[in-house]
Amino acid sequence: MNDAERFRDKHVHFMATAEEKSQLKKNMRQAGYETLGNYLLKMGLEGIIINVDFSELRGALGDIGSLRNEFNRIGNNINQVTKHVNESKEIDAMDVYLLQEEVDRLKKQIEHFEKNVVDRFNEKLRQLGVD
C-alpha cells in the first residue's frame, strides 16, 4: 500500500533515550500491543494522564524528621535508664515515669502525623474525583 492510500497519512516523530524507549516497549507489551506506533497512538488519543501535586503533603512528611529526633531522644533515655539499672541494680520510679510520658507523647505525635497524612491524601483523591 502506498502512502496516498493510507488512512493515516501524517508522520509523527519524536526522540527518546534508550531507557525511555525500553520503558515504552515494556508498557506496550503489558498493554497487549504489538507495535509501538499503535500503542503510542492509542495512549496519545485516549490515554489518561493524572498529575497530582503532593506539595501540600510535604509539611506532613517533614514531621518525619521531628519524629526521628524524638525516637533518638527516647532511645538515649532508655539507654541511660538501662545503664543506671545495671550499675545500681535499682529502678528509679521517676525515670520509668518520665520515660513512659515521653513514649506516650511520641505515640500522640505519631497518631497526629498519620491522621494528617491520611486526611491530606484523601483530600487530594477527592480533588481528583477518586472515591
Side-chain angles (χ1 to χ4, degrees), residues 7 12 15-17 27 33 55 67 73 80 83 86 94 99 107 109 112 122 124:
F7 171 71
V12 177
M15 302 295 287
T17 66
N27 294 350
Y33 285 87
S55 62
L67 289 176
R73 269 188 59 232
Q80 289 174 3
K83 180 181 177 189
N86 286 332
M94 183 55 87
L99 190 58
K107 283 181 185 177
Q109 281 185 326
H112 174 72
N122 285 334
K124 280 293 180 188

Side-chain angles (χ1 to χ4, degrees), residues 33-46:
Y33 285 87
E34 293 185 21
T35 67
L36 191 54
N38 285 341
Y39 169 73
L40 292 173
L41 185 62
K42 182 73 169 178
M43 288 303 294
L45 294 174
E46 298 177 21

Side-chain angles (χ1 to χ4, degrees), residues 9-23:
D9 60 353
K10 301 298 179 201
H11 180 79
V12 177
H13 177 82
F14 69 94
M15 302 295 287
T17 66
E19 293 82 17
E20 291 167 337
K21 185 175 181 182
S22 175
Q23 184 63 47

Side-chain angles (χ1 to χ4, degrees), residues 50-58 120 124 127-128:
I50 300 174
N51 289 318
V52 181
D53 178 12
F54 286 105
S55 62
E56 295 172 14
L57 294 177
R58 286 191 186 131
R120 289 183 181 197
K124 280 293 180 188
Q127 290 173 359
L128 293 170

Side-chain angles (χ1 to χ4, degrees), residues 24-36:
L24 285 170
K25 285 188 174 188
K26 179 181 173 190
N27 294 350
M28 171 198 80
R29 286 188 295 274
Q30 287 177 343
Y33 285 87
E34 293 185 21
T35 67
L36 191 54

Side-chain angles (χ1 to χ4, degrees), residues 44-109:
L45 294 174
E46 298 177 21
I48 297 172
I49 297 174
I50 300 174
N51 289 318
V52 181
D53 178 12
F54 286 105
S55 62
E56 295 172 14
L57 294 177
R58 286 191 186 131
L61 296 176
D63 290 342
I64 291 174
S66 66
L67 289 176
R68 183 178 296 131
N69 289 338
E70 290 292 324
F71 276 123
N72 289 339
R73 269 188 59 232
I74 290 173
N76 289 339
N77 288 344
I78 289 171
N79 289 339
Q80 289 174 3
V81 170
T82 303
K83 180 181 177 189
H84 176 74
V85 168
N86 286 332
E87 289 174 351
S88 69
K89 307 294 186 213
E90 294 179 6
I91 298 175
D92 185 0
M94 183 55 87
D95 287 340
V96 174
Y97 174 77
L98 292 173
L99 190 58
Q100 184 62 48
E101 280 202 343
E102 284 190 47
V103 170
D104 291 342
R105 186 170 48 83
L106 184 59
K107 283 181 185 177
K108 288 178 184 173
Q109 281 185 326

